[in-house]
Amino acid sequence: MQTASTETDLPEGPPTDPMRIGYRIGCGPWLLAVDAQWATGILDNYVLQPIPRAPQWLIGCTNVEGLLLPVVDLFTLLNPNAVPGHGREHKARILLGTHTPASNDEAIGLLFTGLPERLSFTQTDLPTTLQLPPLLRRMARGLAHMPDGRTTIELDTHQLIDHCISQFETADEAPA
Protein backbone atom coordinates (compact mmCIF):
# COMPACT_ATOMS: atom_id res chain seq x y z
CA MET A 1 0.00 0.00 0.00
CA GLN A 2 1.36 3.43 -0.95
CA THR A 3 0.96 6.13 1.73
CA ALA A 4 3.06 8.95 0.27
CA SER A 5 1.51 11.28 -2.28
CA THR A 6 3.16 11.93 -5.60
CA GLU A 7 3.04 15.09 -7.66
CA THR A 8 0.35 13.55 -9.84
CA ASP A 9 -1.88 13.16 -6.76
CA LEU A 10 -1.98 16.93 -6.15
CA PRO A 11 -5.02 18.89 -7.38
CA GLU A 12 -4.49 21.11 -10.40
CA GLY A 13 -5.07 24.87 -10.31
CA PRO A 14 -4.64 27.43 -7.54
CA PRO A 15 -4.86 26.32 -3.90
CA THR A 16 -8.34 26.50 -2.42
CA ASP A 17 -9.18 28.82 0.47
CA PRO A 18 -9.05 27.11 3.84
CA MET A 19 -12.39 26.12 5.30
CA ARG A 20 -13.35 27.92 8.48
CA ILE A 21 -15.82 26.88 11.16
CA GLY A 22 -18.47 29.21 12.52
CA TYR A 23 -22.04 29.69 13.63
CA ARG A 24 -24.79 31.29 11.61
CA ILE A 25 -27.36 33.32 13.54
CA GLY A 26 -30.45 35.30 12.55
CA CYS A 27 -30.44 39.06 12.96
CA GLY A 28 -33.59 40.67 11.56
CA PRO A 29 -33.41 40.30 7.76
CA TRP A 30 -29.76 39.20 7.82
CA LEU A 31 -28.05 35.90 8.48
CA LEU A 32 -24.67 36.48 10.10
CA ALA A 33 -21.73 34.12 10.55
CA VAL A 34 -19.37 34.39 13.51
CA ASP A 35 -16.10 32.51 13.97
CA ALA A 36 -16.52 29.41 16.15
CA GLN A 37 -13.32 30.26 18.06
CA TRP A 38 -14.92 33.53 19.17
CA ALA A 39 -18.12 31.90 20.41
CA THR A 40 -18.03 30.50 23.94
CA GLY A 41 -21.63 29.34 24.33
CA ILE A 42 -25.30 29.71 23.50
CA LEU A 43 -28.01 30.44 26.07
CA ASP A 44 -31.55 29.18 25.50
CA ASN A 45 -32.75 30.19 28.98
CA TYR A 46 -31.66 33.42 30.60
CA VAL A 47 -32.87 36.35 32.65
CA LEU A 48 -32.05 39.87 31.47
CA GLN A 49 -31.46 42.53 34.10
CA PRO A 50 -31.90 46.12 32.86
CA ILE A 51 -28.92 48.46 32.81
CA PRO A 52 -29.83 52.03 33.80
CA ARG A 53 -29.21 54.73 31.15
CA ALA A 54 -27.97 52.10 28.67
CA PRO A 55 -28.30 52.72 24.94
CA GLN A 56 -31.34 51.15 23.28
CA TRP A 57 -29.25 48.34 21.74
CA LEU A 58 -27.88 47.24 25.12
CA ILE A 59 -30.91 45.36 26.36
CA GLY A 60 -29.49 44.25 29.70
CA CYS A 61 -27.06 41.87 31.30
CA THR A 62 -27.32 38.23 32.22
CA ASN A 63 -25.55 36.02 34.74
CA VAL A 64 -23.34 33.38 33.15
CA GLU A 65 -21.53 31.23 35.72
CA GLY A 66 -21.32 34.13 38.17
CA LEU A 67 -20.25 36.71 35.60
CA LEU A 68 -22.58 39.51 34.52
CA LEU A 69 -22.35 39.83 30.74
CA PRO A 70 -23.83 42.68 28.71
CA VAL A 71 -26.31 41.58 26.05
CA VAL A 72 -26.55 43.45 22.77
CA ASP A 73 -29.63 43.45 20.55
CA LEU A 74 -27.59 43.16 17.37
CA PHE A 75 -30.52 44.11 15.11
CA THR A 76 -31.13 47.37 17.00
CA LEU A 77 -27.40 48.17 17.06
CA LEU A 78 -27.00 47.63 13.31
CA ASN A 79 -30.28 49.36 12.46
CA PRO A 80 -30.75 52.32 14.86
CA ASN A 81 -34.17 53.16 13.34
CA ALA A 82 -35.50 49.72 14.25
CA VAL A 83 -38.23 49.28 16.80
CA PRO A 84 -36.73 47.35 19.75
CA GLY A 85 -37.91 43.75 19.74
CA HIS A 86 -39.15 43.98 16.14
CA GLY A 87 -38.45 40.88 14.10
CA ARG A 88 -38.31 38.54 17.08
CA GLU A 89 -41.17 36.30 16.06
CA HIS A 90 -39.01 33.29 16.92
CA LYS A 91 -37.48 32.45 20.27
CA ALA A 92 -34.55 34.70 21.06
CA ARG A 93 -31.28 33.17 22.21
CA ILE A 94 -27.95 34.64 23.28
CA LEU A 95 -24.65 33.82 21.61
CA LEU A 96 -21.77 34.38 24.04
CA GLY A 97 -18.32 35.39 22.88
CA THR A 98 -15.15 37.15 23.94
CA HIS A 99 -11.97 38.68 22.52
CA THR A 100 -9.82 36.00 24.12
CA PRO A 101 -10.83 32.65 25.62
CA ALA A 102 -8.52 33.25 28.59
CA SER A 103 -10.24 36.49 29.64
CA ASN A 104 -13.86 37.51 30.11
CA ASP A 105 -13.02 41.21 30.37
CA GLU A 106 -14.58 41.92 26.99
CA ALA A 107 -17.16 39.14 26.88
CA ILE A 108 -20.50 39.96 25.33
CA GLY A 109 -23.81 38.32 24.53
CA LEU A 110 -25.52 38.79 21.16
CA LEU A 111 -29.28 38.42 21.05
CA PHE A 112 -30.43 36.52 17.97
CA THR A 113 -33.52 34.70 16.76
CA GLY A 114 -34.09 31.18 15.56
CA LEU A 115 -31.67 28.32 15.88
CA PRO A 116 -27.91 28.71 15.43
CA GLU A 117 -26.33 26.62 12.72
CA ARG A 118 -22.77 25.32 12.87
CA LEU A 119 -21.19 25.68 9.46
CA SER A 120 -18.02 25.31 7.43
CA PHE A 121 -17.25 28.12 5.04
CA THR A 122 -14.75 29.98 2.94
CA GLN A 123 -14.63 33.75 2.89
CA THR A 124 -14.67 36.24 0.01
CA ASP A 125 -14.76 40.02 -0.05
CA LEU A 126 -18.07 41.77 0.50
CA PRO A 127 -19.53 42.98 -2.83
CA THR A 128 -19.77 46.76 -3.03
CA THR A 129 -23.24 46.42 -4.55
CA LEU A 130 -24.70 44.62 -1.50
CA GLN A 131 -27.11 46.98 0.28
CA LEU A 132 -26.37 46.98 4.02
CA PRO A 133 -26.69 49.48 6.86
CA PRO A 134 -23.40 51.43 7.18
CA LEU A 135 -22.45 49.90 10.54
CA LEU A 136 -23.03 46.35 9.29
CA ARG A 137 -20.94 47.09 6.20
CA ARG A 138 -18.08 48.31 8.45
CA MET A 139 -18.35 45.25 10.70
CA ALA A 140 -18.59 42.71 7.90
CA ARG A 141 -15.44 40.71 7.18
CA GLY A 142 -16.91 39.49 3.92
CA LEU A 143 -19.22 36.79 2.64
CA ALA A 144 -19.14 33.30 4.09
CA HIS A 145 -19.71 30.66 1.40
CA MET A 146 -20.88 27.21 2.45
CA PRO A 147 -20.11 24.13 0.31
CA ASP A 148 -23.85 23.73 -0.41
CA GLY A 149 -23.91 27.12 -2.18
CA ARG A 150 -25.50 29.21 0.58
CA THR A 151 -23.88 32.50 1.56
CA THR A 152 -24.15 34.74 4.59
CA ILE A 153 -22.37 37.80 5.96
CA GLU A 154 -19.37 37.10 8.19
CA LEU A 155 -19.30 39.46 11.16
CA ASP A 156 -16.03 40.78 12.57
CA THR A 157 -16.81 40.17 16.25
CA HIS A 158 -13.67 41.90 17.50
CA GLN A 159 -14.70 45.06 15.70
CA LEU A 160 -18.23 44.66 17.11
CA ILE A 161 -16.94 44.49 20.69
CA ASP A 162 -14.60 47.43 20.09
CA HIS A 163 -17.50 49.45 18.65
CA CYS A 164 -19.71 48.72 21.67
CA ILE A 165 -16.93 49.66 24.08
CA SER A 166 -16.28 52.90 22.18
CA GLN A 167 -19.99 53.78 22.46
CA PHE A 168 -19.73 53.51 26.25
CA GLU A 169 -16.54 55.60 26.33
CA THR A 170 -18.27 58.29 24.23
CA ALA A 171 -21.29 58.27 26.57
CA ASP A 172 -19.01 58.55 29.62
CA GLU A 173 -17.29 61.61 28.12
CA ALA A 174 -20.58 63.41 27.38
CA PRO A 175 -21.61 66.07 29.91
CA ALA A 176 -24.31 64.90 32.31
Side-chain angles (χ1 to χ4, degrees):
M1 176 189 331
Q2 181 181 6
T3 57
S5 66
T6 63
E7 286 188 35
T8 58
D9 294 332
L10 299 175
E12 293 182 19
T16 57
D17 290 333
M19 291 297 280
R20 297 176 53 200
I21 305 297
Y23 290 100
R24 185 169 71 173
I25 59 173
C27 175
W30 311 291
L31 291 174
L32 304 175
V34 297
D35 191 297
Q37 290 182 351
W38 176 81
T40 59
I42 296 171
L43 299 179
D44 281 321
N45 299 310
Y46 53 88
V47 175
L48 287 174
Q49 299 298 323
I51 300 173
R53 298 188 323 254
Q56 186 174 350
W57 50 264
L58 184 61
I59 59 171
C61 62
T62 191
N63 185 329
V64 179
E65 297 178 7
L67 233 121
L68 288 178
L69 296 181
V71 178
V72 172
D73 181 341
L74 197 51
F75 179 65
T76 304
L77 176 68
L78 297 174
N79 186 6
N81 298 326
V83 176
H86 178 72
R88 285 194 220 135
E89 295 81 26
H90 305 286
K91 177 173 175 42
R93 292 174 173 81
I94 298 174
L95 177 68
L96 304 172
T98 186
H99 267 318
T100 59
S103 170
N104 286 324
D105 289 344
E106 294 176 341
I108 193 170
L110 301 179
L111 191 71
F112 70 96
T113 56
L115 292 171
E117 180 183 359
R118 188 168 168 89
L119 48 92
S120 298
F121 65 93
T122 57
Q123 184 210 19
T124 60
D125 290 336
L126 197 64
T128 57
T129 56
L130 187 60
Q131 297 295 314
L132 297 173
L135 185 57
L136 179 52
R137 179 165 291 284
R138 284 197 314 268
M139 289 188 187
R141 277 192 165 154
L143 289 181
H145 297 278
M146 278 65 77
D148 64 6
R150 295 177 299 155
T151 60
T152 190
I153 299 167
E154 184 183 8
L155 189 64
D156 184 336
T157 51
H158 295 292
Q159 190 170 350
L160 169 69
I161 291 174
D162 291 345
H163 174 80
C164 291
I165 290 170
S166 75
Q167 295 298 302
F168 287 122
E169 290 172 353
T170 303
D172 286 343
E173 293 170 1

